[in-house]
Amino acid sequence: MALDYDALNENVKKCQYAVRGELYLRASELQKEGKKIIFTNVGNPHALGQKPLTFPRQVVALCQAPFLLDDPNVGMLFPADAIARAKHYLSLTSGGLGAYSDSRGLPGVRKEVAEFIERRDGYPSDPELIFLTDGASKGVMQILNCVIRGERDGILVPVPQYPLYSATISLLGGSLVPYYLDESENWGLDVNNLRQSVAQARSQGISVRAMVIINPGNPTGQCLSEANLREILRFCYNEKLVLLGDEVYQQNIYQDERPFISAKKVLMDMGSPFSKEVQLVSFHTVSKGYWGECGQRGGYFEMTNIPPRVVEEIYKVASIALSPNVSAQIFMGLMVSPPKPGDISYDQFARESKGILESLRRRAKIMTDGFNSCKNVVCNFTEGAMYSFPQIRLPPGALQAAKQAGKVPDVFYCLKLLEATGISTVPGSGFGQKEGVFHLRTTILPAEEEMPEIMDSFKKFNDEFMTQYENNFGYSRM
Ligand code: DCS
């Protein structure tokens, strides 16, 4: 039978997604047995206690329950600007939140996204080239689906990378072409590495078609500089690659030296011929930033220099799924046009969002400092995004013990950490890392007041683990 395991599509079996892999499954088991688990494996802020922003929830609540708008007491429960916004969004739909929208999303919301991009970058943006999606994931999958024709089509992906990319490329039967980020350069991207990766892939008969950048990085947390983005775009121009710019963490910046700058802005700044020719698709989401509305599943992508006939084809494919979530589209509309100074809800909105971002900034530092105080652990500062990705230098005794247990060394370490402390992380092998080098990923999302205790418990476990397995034969290499 087609759904017997042996008969399954091999690409489905090959595909791996570490964020919900072995560690997550074991953590869920332990939780069922009554152990307290700190889930730092997924960048899911509300699951770790982050409160939703008030204004967007008020607006969407009214859109979900439009009969409240007819209630004479509505003004006692909801501020006037939330009521006005709810009416505005309902007027953009054809039948409220229970009706499908256009498969590209509501035209009115796509216009708001285009206006946001124009304000952000200082260049025009066309709503016709913006598609709303169920989270950024669906957008990435739609575009990769259009790019990958078979196993000889290669996609350049950073290593370490977020496994959405490796998993989708496997699922679609394409080839992942890795380029390594340099840990000793704060996970910087060296264009010479890119050239080598492309040359090597070509020598194996792979035609490299697209390049992924994650800026700010997941799991690595680095922010790309403008100069680096320019080099990347020039490289894509020379090599005729579509650039997929994953910019879902653009609001999550924790340092001032390298603010977020979009690939679209850098491309437009470069002028002709680059700005007219380099093909770029940029992704964004409501799951990250200070919104963290992961469960709503809202996202968009913007296409630059993609021919109209191709846009039509992508529209056709999007149409097969009928419509992105309509309530999530409204979240996206609100994210790109939040309350403005002078609006009734502005002060509260600004206070809430600033509170979340400032706390994330402090948590990023507590985590990095905590990791760097541990024996045999080194960690680059989280410049942006939501993760910390420390390198764990495992002593030979630990490598041996892992081998005996039939586990990859970093999986072995993370399982021991989970059993000892309840901290659920993702082993670095799930994101890709250089041979013989080990990491783990945690989010920086646990509540700030719990952070010192979590880091103390990590340090106690780690330092004991290192002492237990240490011997005189050296370490896994840097
Ligand atoms: N791109 C990157 C780089 C991500 O980290 C994520 C989610 C996505 C896209 C997709 O997000 P949405 O589909 O929700 O818009 N990050 C996962 C992670 O690493 N932990 O949690 C989710």
Side-chain angles (χ1 to χ4, degrees):
M1 298 283 279
L3 283 180
D4 287 347
Y5 185 78
D6 289 344
L8 274 188
N9 177 344
E10 284 301 321
N11 292 343
V12 171
K13 291 196 250 177
K14 255 195 280 170
C15 158
Q16 303 215 336
Y17 185 71
V19 174
R20 295 214 189 255
E22 179 176 357
L23 259 291
Y24 175 76
L25 297 176
R26 181 69 189 129
S28 305
E29 264 171 32
L30 289 172
Q31 192 182 39
K32 271 195 215 125
E33 290 165 16
K35 189 172 168 71
K36 186 182 174 218
I37 303 295
I38 303 147
F39 281 99
T40 71
N41 56 310
V42 187
N44 193 9
H46 291 213
L48 287 160
Q50 183 176 309
K51 296 276 170 298
L53 299 167
T54 306
F55 180 75
R57 288 295 185 100
Q58 287 171 327
V59 175
V60 177
L62 286 167
C63 292
Q64 289 283 10
F67 45 84
L68 293 178
L69 291 167
D70 301 327
D71 190 306
N73 293 324
V74 66
M76 290 164 70
L77 272 176
F78 293 91
D81 53 352
I83 295 171
R85 268 305 187 89
K87 289 182 178 162
H88 159 73
Y89 284 119
L90 285 172
S91 79
L92 299 180
T93 67
S94 50
L97 268 52
Y100 294 131
S101 72
D102 185 283
S103 313
R104 298 164 297 183
L106 297 163
V109 173
R110 291 160 61 214
K111 182 164 164 277
E112 290 178 352
V113 172
E115 287 161 0
F116 154 76
I117 296 171
E118 278 178 23
R119 280 193 308 275
R120 185 194 66 189
D121 295 342
Y123 290 100
S125 167
D126 180 355
E128 291 302 303
L129 301 175
I130 291 165
F131 284 21
L132 304 181
T133 52
D134 294 342
S137 310
K138 282 286 166 68
V140 167
M141 292 166 108
Q142 279 174 20
I143 298 298
L144 285 175
N145 191 23
C146 294
V147 172
I148 296 174
R149 299 164 300 182
E151 62 182 352
R152 291 195 174 275
D153 280 346
I155 312 292
L156 271 169
V157 173
V159 173
Q161 52 109 26
Y162 169 50
L164 163 67
Y165 293 96
S166 49
T168 308
I169 293 168
S170 292
L171 209 52
L172 296 169
S175 291
L176 185 149
V177 180
Y179 65 90
Y180 287 91
L181 301 175
D182 187 351
E183 184 164 18
S184 61
E185 292 294 327
N186 220 13
W187 298 114
L189 188 166
D190 181 349
V191 178
N192 290 323
N193 279 349
L194 284 177
R195 288 198 188 96
Q196 277 168 16
S197 297
V198 170
Q200 199 180 346
R202 288 210 176 115
S203 72
Q204 292 161 359
I206 289 172
S207 121
V208 182
R209 313 235 307 149
M211 169 172 176
V212 175
I213 51 171
I214 307 177
N215 181 36
N218 174 10
T220 39
Q222 83 287 18
C223 296
L224 292 177
S225 69
E226 187 177 345
N228 216 183
L229 280 163
R230 226 178 288 127
E231 283 181 310
I232 292 166
L233 285 157
R234 195 167 292 127
F235 176 78
C236 289
Y237 174 82
N238 289 332
E239 302 290 339
K240 299 199 174 0
L241 305 179
V242 184
L243 184 64
L244 307 185
D246 184 329
E247 298 177 336
V248 299
Y249 296 104
Q250 59 188 271
Q251 280 178 338
N252 298 90
I253 307 288
Y254 313 122
Q255 39 73 45
D256 302 318
E257 296 77 47
R258 260 194 304 286
F260 170 76
I261 176 161
S262 73
K264 164 102 182 278
K265 174 170 167 51
V266 176
L267 179 59
M268 292 301 121
D269 282 350
M270 284 166 79
S272 193
F274 307 97
S275 58
K276 297 238 161 35
E277 289 182 36
V278 175
Q279 296 189 329
L280 168 68
V281 185
S282 309
F283 302 88
H284 200 5
T285 183
V286 302
S287 302
K288 311 296 171 187
Y290 43 81
W291 292 67
E293 292 275 10
C294 300
Q296 312 289 352
R297 312 306 301 126
Y300 76 74
F301 59 83
E302 183 196 25
M303 296 167 277
T304 305
N305 295 325
I306 308 294
R309 281 181 66 190
V310 174
V311 175
E312 279 302 311
E313 292 294 320
I314 298 173
Y315 184 14
K316 179 182 75 188
V317 173
S319 305
I320 301 172
L322 293 163
S323 158
N325 295 321
V326 178
S327 57
Q329 297 183 42
I330 294 175
F331 273 101
M332 182 53 86
L334 288 158
M335 186 177 96
V336 296
S337 55
K340 289 192 247 338
D343 290 353
I344 302 164
S345 297
Y346 176 76
D347 287 347
Q348 185 179 8
F349 181 84
R351 199 172 49 248
E352 290 173 354
S353 42
K354 194 163 160 245
I356 294 168
L357 262 189
E358 286 179 350
S359 168
L360 282 171
R361 192 185 259 247
R362 288 191 295 270
R363 282 180 268 173
K365 184 160 166 35
I366 297 172
M367 267 218 153
T368 314
D369 290 349
F371 284 131
N372 282 324
S373 79
C374 294
K375 198 168 179 179
N376 302 341
V377 178
V378 277
C379 185
N380 280 322
F381 177 63
T382 299
E383 297 176 344
M386 289 183 173
Y387 312 95
S388 198
F389 197 61
Q391 183 183 142
I392 315 288
R393 302 183 66 201
L394 294 171
L399 302 181
Q400 224 161 36
K403 200 168 171 194
Q404 268 159 18
K407 302 278 176 207
V408 177
D410 55 4
V411 174
F412 178 78
Y413 177 93
C414 290
L415 280 168
K416 292 265 182 218
L417 171 69
L418 172 67
E419 306 276 347
T421 64
I423 305 172
S424 164
T425 57
V426 187
S429 46
F431 304 93
Q433 55 199 349
K434 284 194 173 147
E435 180 85 26
V437 183
F438 303 105
H439 298 85
L440 62 81
R441 187 191 82 167
T442 69
T443 68
I444 58 165
L445 298 174
E448 195 175 339
E449 59 277 16
E450 289 172 23
M451 208 63 130
E453 197 187 319
I454 294 173
M455 294 317 288
D456 283 350
S457 132
F458 177 86
K459 182 174 169 58
K460 183 166 175 293
F461 159 79
N462 175 79
D463 292 4
E464 282 173 15
F465 178 99
M466 294 302 169
T467 309
Q468 182 188 345
Y469 288 106
E470 228 161 27
N471 57 28
N472 297 325
F473 296 108
Y475 297 90
S476 60
R477 69 183 169 82
M478 277 291 274

